[in-house]
Amino acid sequence: MDKQKKILESALQLFVEYGFHGTPTSKIASNAGVAAGTLFHYFKTKDELVINLYNRIKGELNTYVYSQIDNNDTVEAKFRTLFNHTLYWALKNNQEFYFIQQFHFSPHLASIPPDELVNQAKPHIELFEQAVREGILKPLPADLLLTLVGSHVYGLHQYLAKAGFDKKRESEVIDQAFEMIWDMITI
Amino acid sequence: MDKQKKILESALQLFVEYGFHGTPTSKIASNAGVAAGTLFHYFKTKDELVINLYNRIKGELNTYVYSQIDNNDTVEAKFRTLFNHTLYWALKNNQEFYFIQQFHFSPHLASIPPDELVNQAKPHIELFEQAVREGILKPLPADLLLTLVGSHVYGLHQYLAKAGFDKKRESEVIDQAFEMIWDMITI
DNA sequence: TTTTTGATTGACTGCTCACTCAACAAATTT
DNA sequence: AAATTTGTTGAGTGAGCAGTCAATCAAAAA
């Protein structure tokens, strides 16, 4: 019913399948069951639609993942929760997660203000810094640790998305992968 | 002098900066110091140019990296050589390495026959399988190991490319990162 | 009820772009 | 030297696309 939402859903699906420039706005609109002009009522330009979609998805992932964290948890429990729920979300929202990466390897990334990207990463960075101070993690730069753990998550998601295991096998692999990366970054 | 090469160089540079669809063939040609029509003498379509560029770059990386391997080396030495030289190549050929990832997150990937992708990965997969058989690596599927190590390399490259350290600091980080991933995948 | 405001439509426009082609130039073959 | 093949040019073509807009519709405000 909500046409803006329909447009966003339609755009996501088509962008992931055909790429940003491989999907005309007319197709996004018709696929959403909406006239071509309606798209431009909600989004001034196609670029604005792309960026809006990215910000929404990034926001959904972040709020979901951080809603799972209990501040009374130990640092290790926090990392485990973050890791597990990021993967859980990514596997449940394959298109969204793929879109994030697609966006990161596109020129659109340049239109996100750098300080906003820093802000997005801030909670993660602070967790890493705290864990380094507490002597839990190896004394490495927090942004290096974040990049390495992030890559690990991306790679694991890619593997699991392609493999298509059942839930049981999936969480076995995730648990094993967490132990591996945890061993890697802890002292 | 070689116009085909000029076109490929120009295309790489512009694709990395503006994306595939953000760079018109006319710009590729003029940037290469060549008339618009000349591009189509060497490449039937723009898509063919993109795919040709991808295959060349992938080929260059593979031949370079495997030329560094000595078959008398131990498995660990082979892994270390592979790891170090992939990163060395990636840092020396930033645009090329970025292009590979950009290509992987584009619809162009679909036009590479799946068996060719399997072939590209074959030498790596065989190394991993051998190392698992010899009891050096953890008994995990070779394609999972490859994906995880691959992600590690991508992440590390991304970090180093952004950080812009000098050669000394760079190889310190690379060595440290190798120890970390090696500890992670070995028994 | 009447007015105003906002939502929706789709034909239309102007522009960009991939690709063509006829003409010319250079190199290679006979 | 003539003939043939191969390389190069850039104006031109047609298709596709982002974004516009005048008209219609819906619903809330006056």
Side-chain angles (χ1 to χ4, degrees):
Chain A
M1 267 300 94
D2 182 349
K3 303 206 171 182
Q4 195 183 14
K5 211 164 197 173
K6 284 259 172 150
I7 291 167
L8 287 162
E9 278 170 15
S10 164
L12 171 63
Q13 186 204 317
L14 293 168
F15 285 158
V16 166
E17 187 161 359
Y18 305 107
F20 297 120
H21 294 269
T23 56
T25 53
S26 56
K27 217 179 206 167
I28 297 172
S30 68
N31 191 56
V34 150
T38 305
L39 190 151
F40 294 95
H41 174 71
Y42 291 103
F43 307 98
K44 264 195 278 295
T45 63
K46 189 183 179 182
D47 277 7
E48 193 188 299
L49 167 60
V50 172
I51 289 164
N52 188 298
L53 185 57
Y54 172 76
N55 285 330
R56 272 165 201 267
I57 290 176
K58 208 76 195 289
E60 278 167 27
L61 169 57
N62 271 336
T63 56
Y64 168 73
V65 162
Y66 276 94
S67 75
Q68 301 298 319
I69 285 201
D70 182 342
N71 275 324
N72 301 319
D73 282 347
T74 63
V75 172
E76 176 170 354
K78 278 183 186 167
F79 272 107
R80 188 167 228 123
T81 304
L82 230 47
F83 186 86
N84 281 335
H85 282 90
T86 301
L87 274 159
Y88 173 79
W89 189 93
L91 287 165
K92 193 157 198 167
N93 303 277
N94 259 306
Q95 287 189 332
E96 282 83 353
F97 200 68
Y98 182 87
F99 177 83
I100 292 174
Q101 291 160 85
Q102 190 184 17
F103 186 92
H104 282 153
F105 282 104
S106 83
H108 289 289
L109 182 61
S111 44
I112 305 285
D115 56 293
E116 205 176 313
L117 291 173
V118 172
N119 265 344
Q120 297 258 5
K122 214 173 190 177
H124 293 96
I125 289 287
E126 280 168 2
L127 234 187
F128 278 103
E129 281 171 346
Q130 190 197 339
V132 170
R133 274 198 308 274
E134 290 180 9
I136 296 168
L137 297 187
K138 288 179 179 157
L140 294 168
D143 57 340
L144 174 55
L145 289 168
L146 176 56
T147 301
L148 293 182
V149 175
S151 307
H152 192 75
V153 170
Y154 284 136
L156 187 56
H157 169 261
Q158 198 187 319
Y159 175 76
L160 290 172
K162 201 163 68 181
F165 297 138
D166 58 35
K167 287 293 153 208
K168 188 166 158 280
R169 178 85 188 108
E170 214 164 58
S171 57
E172 277 172 22
V173 176
I174 292 175
D175 287 345
Q176 202 167 9
F178 179 77
E179 299 307 328
M180 288 167 81
I181 190 91
W182 186 249
D183 284 350
M184 184 173 110
I185 61 177
T186 48
I187 286 180
Chain B
M1 269 297 97
D2 182 350
K3 301 205 171 180
Q4 195 183 13
K5 209 163 200 172
K6 284 260 171 144
I7 291 168
L8 287 161
E9 277 171 16
S10 164
L12 172 62
Q13 186 204 318
L14 293 168
F15 286 157
V16 166
E17 187 162 1
Y18 305 107
F20 296 121
H21 294 269
T23 57
T25 53
S26 56
K27 217 179 208 166
I28 296 172
S30 69
N31 191 56
V34 151
T38 305
L39 190 152
F40 293 94
H41 174 72
Y42 290 103
F43 306 98
K44 264 195 277 294
T45 65
K46 189 184 179 182
D47 277 7
E48 193 188 300
L49 167 61
V50 173
I51 290 165
N52 189 298
L53 184 57
Y54 172 75
N55 285 329
R56 270 164 202 268
I57 290 176
K58 208 73 193 295
E60 278 168 27
L61 169 57
N62 271 335
T63 56
Y64 168 72
V65 163
Y66 276 94
S67 76
Q68 301 297 318
I69 285 200
D70 183 340
N71 275 323
N72 301 319
D73 282 348
T74 65
V75 172
E76 177 171 353
K78 279 183 187 167
F79 272 106
R80 190 169 227 121
T81 304
L82 230 46
F83 186 87
N84 281 334
H85 282 91
T86 301
L87 274 159
Y88 172 79
W89 189 92
L91 288 165
K92 194 158 197 167
N93 302 278
N94 258 306
Q95 287 189 330
E96 283 83 352
F97 200 69
Y98 182 88
F99 177 84
I100 291 174
Q101 292 161 84
Q102 189 183 17
F103 185 92
H104 282 152
F105 283 104
S106 83
H108 290 288
L109 182 61
S111 43
I112 305 286
D115 57 294
E116 206 176 311
L117 291 174
V118 172
N119 264 344
Q120 296 259 6
K122 215 173 190 180
H124 293 95
I125 290 286
E126 280 168 3
L127 233 187
F128 278 103
E129 282 171 345
Q130 189 198 338
V132 169
R133 274 199 308 275
E134 290 180 10
I136 296 168
L137 297 187
K138 289 180 178 156
L140 294 168
D143 57 341
L144 173 55
L145 289 168
L146 176 56
T147 302
L148 293 182
V149 175
S151 308
H152 192 74
V153 170
Y154 284 136
L156 187 56
H157 169 260
Q158 199 186 318
Y159 175 76
L160 290 172
K162 201 163 67 181
F165 296 136
D166 58 34
K167 287 293 152 207
K168 187 165 158 282
R169 178 86 188 106
E170 213 164 60
S171 57
E172 276 172 21
V173 175
I174 292 174
D175 287 345
Q176 201 166 8
F178 181 78
E179 300 307 329
M180 288 167 82
I181 191 88
W182 186 248
D183 284 349
M184 184 173 110
I185 61 176
T186 47
I187 286 181

